[in-house]
Amino acid sequence: MQSTPSAAILPGASPRAALDGQLQPGESLLAVLDLDLDDRLHYGSGILALASGASGQRLLACTPGTGAWQSWPLAANHGLRHFDHAGVGTIELHDPQGRLGRWRYTLGHNPTALKLVTAFEAARDALAGIEPADDDAFPVEQVEAESAGARSDRWALLRLWRFARPYQWQLLGGFLLMLAATGATLVPPYLTMPLMDEVLIPYQNGVPIDESKVKLYLGGLLAAALVAWVLGWARTFILAKVSERIGADLRTTTYEHLQKLSLEFFGGKRTGDLISRVGSETDRICLFLSLHLLDFFTDVLMILMTAAILVSINPWLALVTLLPLPFIGWMIHVVRDRLRHGFEKVDRIWAEITNVLADTIPGIRVVKAFAQEKREVARFREANRHNLAVNDRVNKIWSLFTPTVTLLTEIGLLVVWAFGIWQVSSDHITVGVLAAFLAYISRFYTRLDSMSRIVSVTQKAAAGAKRIFDILDHVSSVPEPAQPRHLAKVDGRIDIRNIGFRYGNRQVVRNLSLSIAPGEMIGLVGHSGSGKSTLVNLICRFYDVSEGAILLDGEDIRALPVTESRRNIGLVLQEPFLFFGTIAENIAYGKPDATREEIVAAARAAHAHEFILRLPHGYDSLVGERGQSLSGGERQRISIARALLIDPHILILDEATSSVDTTTEKEIQKALDNLVRGRTTIAVAHRLSTLRKADRLVVLDRGQVVEIGGHDELMARQGAYYRLYQAQARQAEQDQAHEQDALGEEELA
């Protein structure tokens, strides 16, 4: 089957930005994969997407380097082959005649590629009439838009009842107040009938005005207005208060759930997108609940109660009044779906804008160092331009819908006038009845017009709620045990039994076994990509093993509560992360109730006390965002003090001295000597000289243990460790020679 070519991307435009323009009306995305390699394995920008619409599913592709779009309608005999080799992932589309297309990407996009393949196979099987084997036939989380088989976001707002249930009695009270307030606002038009028929019209015919009736009716109008005001105030206050609490609970629950998710989830997400969901989306939902939803229910009550009053006054005149309703209902049904898809796109584009901010503001030093301010401004301008384009398409639909509803209501009012005049002239109704009818009609059509306008904000809130529930519905790949076990005392023995681990379909660790005695120091060495950091992540349970088990003091760590197992592990990273706050707050991060004496003692042991005292405010000095006001060595010693303070039974040092100079490394090494004393320690290091004090060295290669032993023992074997050590020694000699040459040139100059 041949592909269908489409227009090429304009110069400077990204495939992601151009993707929406390739979709047909009513078509949505099932999965999207960003491509970053062309056929020659040069970096580029492209995209591969699976879309679903009324005419079926199709595969859309923009190959990096070409800028041209192609599409293939999905057929039951299509196949999508997926494999990786040497850090490059490949996806190929096949039919019985041969290969139709091939796309490549770096393995950082592999999780997204797997979701695309899963969605493709599920859609193809559906075409072939094959039932999915289980509920996991579709991907758990979609990349961009809702799938055809997923729960529609039109029900997302109803799912908010989970957060509204604790306030159900306040909501009931607010609803009763709303009902009473709406009834009070309908009293004044009803009083205009006797006021006109019994006071004003008789007066025009020469009958004196009955002051008692005037006082009675005017008093009734005033009383109705005051009652409506009091009830309206109480209703608005109660419901606004409840909606704010629902929004706060939604934010807290979403953030709490984010904290429970594994690193695998965050690896496929952008920071700006998550900030946008927790912040602006929950704020939009809160605004909808506190303002627009209240107006919507008020409008519905007003319409129903007004319609009942109109029918009771004159059924035929009421029937004429209600004529525009079916047309307006049909328009709302048609426009709603288009608006929903439009607002989903708006949310995604807004998340892209937030992503640019989240990337550039924390990395502003790198941006300025490489003089890329104009490039980042261009990125922001492009995202903002795309945001305008998507909003323009939504506004085009909305701008036609709103005036049309207004026109229908005006025509309806005109018909009522004409029919009412005919009824008066035929003596079927009085002028007072017509006046009351027109007063009710004015309120009826005003509310009808207002209710139709709520379609827009409702769809915005529904799209936001769907994005929130995309997070809440995500199940952590590192779950809490159903029946947790607890360790009365932690000795620090670690047993790793035949574990395996995959990133997607790429095997990173295979058949790895290792036993670490309590108090023993193990050094992990190997080339980059050999599995050292992956093993550390598995021991910390940032990920769960695919095969085998990791035992802590004889208990599988998957049987222990996640926080309990991690509380016994102190982690010192290559790039220590410091939070915005004081030095003392960062040291006490793992033990917030620590006393100042404990904080100072940890800092002394980490050889950080002296430089902290030289700061303007000592331990109360602000470190700045990510600790940018401190040097790399100072940040590392703060990180070591943080690990010392929690007094962990197990210590993991992940390249703790690789990013500092030799002098600073000696200072840090002194701090580490205090830190590792009496603790089970796993040290990862590229500089093999830093692991001389390790009891055993474990050499990893391609996710497997290839050698274990002490430094002298491994050097005598002249195996993998010997080759690593010799290579580093040669590199060190070359670096020293270059430094001496540079010094000699400076002396001659």
Short mmCIF file of all heavy atoms in Angstrom, two decimals, residues 607-627:
data_model
loop_
_atom_site.label_atom_id
_atom_site.label_comp_id
_atom_site.label_asym_id
_atom_site.label_seq_id
_atom_site.Cartn_x
_atom_site.Cartn_y
_atom_site.Cartn_z
N HIS A 607 33.78 18.03 56.87
CA HIS A 607 34.79 19.06 56.57
C HIS A 607 34.15 20.26 55.87
O HIS A 607 34.74 20.85 54.95
CB HIS A 607 35.92 18.47 55.71
CG HIS A 607 36.80 17.51 56.45
ND1 HIS A 607 38.06 17.84 56.92
CD2 HIS A 607 36.60 16.22 56.85
CE1 HIS A 607 38.60 16.81 57.55
NE2 HIS A 607 37.72 15.80 57.52
N ALA A 608 32.94 20.61 56.31
CA ALA A 608 32.24 21.75 55.72
C ALA A 608 32.10 22.91 56.70
O ALA A 608 31.74 24.02 56.30
CB ALA A 608 30.84 21.31 55.25
N HIS A 609 32.38 22.67 57.98
CA HIS A 609 32.13 23.68 59.01
C HIS A 609 32.95 24.96 58.75
O HIS A 609 32.43 26.07 58.91
CB HIS A 609 32.47 23.09 60.38
CG HIS A 609 32.23 24.03 61.52
ND1 HIS A 609 30.97 24.43 61.91
CD2 HIS A 609 33.10 24.67 62.37
CE1 HIS A 609 31.05 25.25 62.94
NE2 HIS A 609 32.33 25.41 63.24
N GLU A 610 34.19 24.79 58.34
CA GLU A 610 35.07 25.96 58.18
C GLU A 610 34.57 26.90 57.08
O GLU A 610 34.47 28.12 57.28
CB GLU A 610 36.51 25.51 57.87
CG GLU A 610 37.22 24.82 59.02
CD GLU A 610 36.72 23.40 59.27
OE1 GLU A 610 36.02 22.87 58.37
OE2 GLU A 610 36.99 22.85 60.34
N PHE A 611 34.24 26.36 55.90
CA PHE A 611 33.80 27.27 54.83
C PHE A 611 32.40 27.82 55.11
O PHE A 611 32.07 28.92 54.66
CB PHE A 611 33.87 26.57 53.46
CG PHE A 611 32.67 25.75 53.08
CD1 PHE A 611 31.50 26.34 52.61
CD2 PHE A 611 32.70 24.37 53.17
CE1 PHE A 611 30.41 25.59 52.24
CE2 PHE A 611 31.61 23.61 52.81
CZ PHE A 611 30.45 24.22 52.35
N ILE A 612 31.59 27.09 55.86
CA ILE A 612 30.26 27.60 56.21
C ILE A 612 30.39 28.84 57.10
O ILE A 612 29.67 29.83 56.93
CB ILE A 612 29.42 26.52 56.91
CG1 ILE A 612 29.07 25.39 55.93
CG2 ILE A 612 28.12 27.11 57.48
CD1 ILE A 612 28.35 24.22 56.55
N LEU A 613 31.33 28.80 58.06
CA LEU A 613 31.52 29.95 58.95
C LEU A 613 32.04 31.17 58.20
O LEU A 613 31.87 32.31 58.67
CB LEU A 613 32.48 29.58 60.08
CG LEU A 613 31.96 28.54 61.09
CD1 LEU A 613 32.99 28.32 62.19
CD2 LEU A 613 30.63 28.98 61.69
N ARG A 614 32.68 30.97 57.06
CA ARG A 614 33.18 32.11 56.28
C ARG A 614 32.08 32.79 55.47
O ARG A 614 32.29 33.87 54.92
CB ARG A 614 34.30 31.65 55.34
CG ARG A 614 35.57 31.25 56.07
CD ARG A 614 36.75 31.16 55.10
NE ARG A 614 36.57 30.12 54.11
CZ ARG A 614 37.00 28.87 54.25
NH1 ARG A 614 37.63 28.50 55.38
NH2 ARG A 614 36.81 27.96 53.31
N LEU A 615 30.91 32.15 55.37
CA LEU A 615 29.79 32.75 54.64
C LEU A 615 29.19 33.89 55.46
O LEU A 615 29.33 33.93 56.68
CB LEU A 615 28.73 31.69 54.36
CG LEU A 615 29.15 30.53 53.44
CD1 LEU A 615 28.06 29.47 53.36
CD2 LEU A 615 29.46 31.06 52.04
N PRO A 616 28.52 34.85 54.81
CA PRO A 616 28.02 36.05 55.51
C PRO A 616 27.15 35.73 56.73
O PRO A 616 27.27 36.39 57.76
CB PRO A 616 27.21 36.78 54.43
CG PRO A 616 27.79 36.31 53.14
CD PRO A 616 28.25 34.91 53.36
N HIS A 617 26.28 34.75 56.63
CA HIS A 617 25.37 34.43 57.73
C HIS A 617 25.57 33.02 58.25
O HIS A 617 24.66 32.45 58.88
CB HIS A 617 23.91 34.61 57.27
CG HIS A 617 23.60 35.99 56.79
ND1 HIS A 617 23.49 37.07 57.64
CD2 HIS A 617 23.41 36.47 55.53
CE1 HIS A 617 23.22 38.16 56.93
NE2 HIS A 617 23.17 37.83 55.65
N GLY A 618 26.73 32.44 57.99
CA GLY A 618 27.02 31.12 58.52
C GLY A 618 26.03 30.07 58.06
O GLY A 618 25.73 29.95 56.86
N TYR A 619 25.51 29.32 59.01
CA TYR A 619 24.56 28.24 58.69
C TYR A 619 23.21 28.78 58.20
O TYR A 619 22.42 28.01 57.65
CB TYR A 619 24.35 27.34 59.90
CG TYR A 619 25.50 26.39 60.14
CD1 TYR A 619 26.61 26.79 60.88
CD2 TYR A 619 25.48 25.10 59.63
CE1 TYR A 619 27.68 25.93 61.09
CE2 TYR A 619 26.53 24.23 59.83
CZ TYR A 619 27.64 24.65 60.56
OH TYR A 619 28.70 23.79 60.76
N ASP A 620 22.96 30.06 58.41
CA ASP A 620 21.70 30.66 57.96
C ASP A 620 21.86 31.36 56.61
O ASP A 620 20.95 32.10 56.19
CB ASP A 620 21.19 31.66 59.00
CG ASP A 620 20.81 30.97 60.30
OD1 ASP A 620 20.20 29.89 60.22
OD2 ASP A 620 21.13 31.51 61.38
N SER A 621 22.98 31.14 55.93
CA SER A 621 23.19 31.73 54.61
C SER A 621 22.35 31.01 53.57
O SER A 621 22.25 29.77 53.58
CB SER A 621 24.67 31.66 54.20
OG SER A 621 25.48 32.35 55.14
N LEU A 622 21.75 31.79 52.66
CA LEU A 622 20.97 31.20 51.58
C LEU A 622 21.92 30.67 50.51
O LEU A 622 22.89 31.34 50.14
CB LEU A 622 20.02 32.23 50.97
CG LEU A 622 18.85 32.67 51.85
CD1 LEU A 622 18.08 33.81 51.19
CD2 LEU A 622 17.91 31.51 52.12
N VAL A 623 21.63 29.47 50.01
CA VAL A 623 22.51 28.86 49.01
C VAL A 623 22.08 29.19 47.59
O VAL A 623 22.79 28.89 46.63
CB VAL A 623 22.56 27.32 49.18
CG1 VAL A 623 23.08 26.97 50.55
CG2 VAL A 623 21.19 26.70 48.95
N GLY A 624 20.89 29.79 47.41
CA GLY A 624 20.40 30.06 46.06
C GLY A 624 19.79 28.82 45.44
O GLY A 624 19.96 27.70 45.95
N GLU A 625 19.09 29.00 44.34
CA GLU A 625 18.45 27.87 43.69
C GLU A 625 19.49 26.89 43.18
O GLU A 625 20.44 27.27 42.51
CB GLU A 625 17.56 28.35 42.54
CG GLU A 625 16.70 27.25 41.96
CD GLU A 625 15.69 27.77 40.96
OE1 GLU A 625 15.77 28.95 40.61
OE2 GLU A 625 14.84 26.98 40.52
N ARG A 626 19.30 25.61 43.54
CA ARG A 626 20.22 24.51 43.17
C ARG A 626 21.63 24.72 43.73
O ARG A 626 22.59 24.13 43.24
CB ARG A 626 20.28 24.33 41.65
CG ARG A 626 18.93 24.00 41.04
CD ARG A 626 19.01 23.99 39.52
NE ARG A 626 17.68 23.81 38.94
CZ ARG A 626 17.18 22.67 38.51
NH1 ARG A 626 17.90 21.59 38.60
NH2 ARG A 626 15.96 22.61 38.00
N GLY A 627 21.78 25.58 44.72
CA GLY A 627 23.08 25.80 45.35
C GLY A 627 24.08 26.52 44.48
O GLY A 627 25.29 26.31 44.62
#
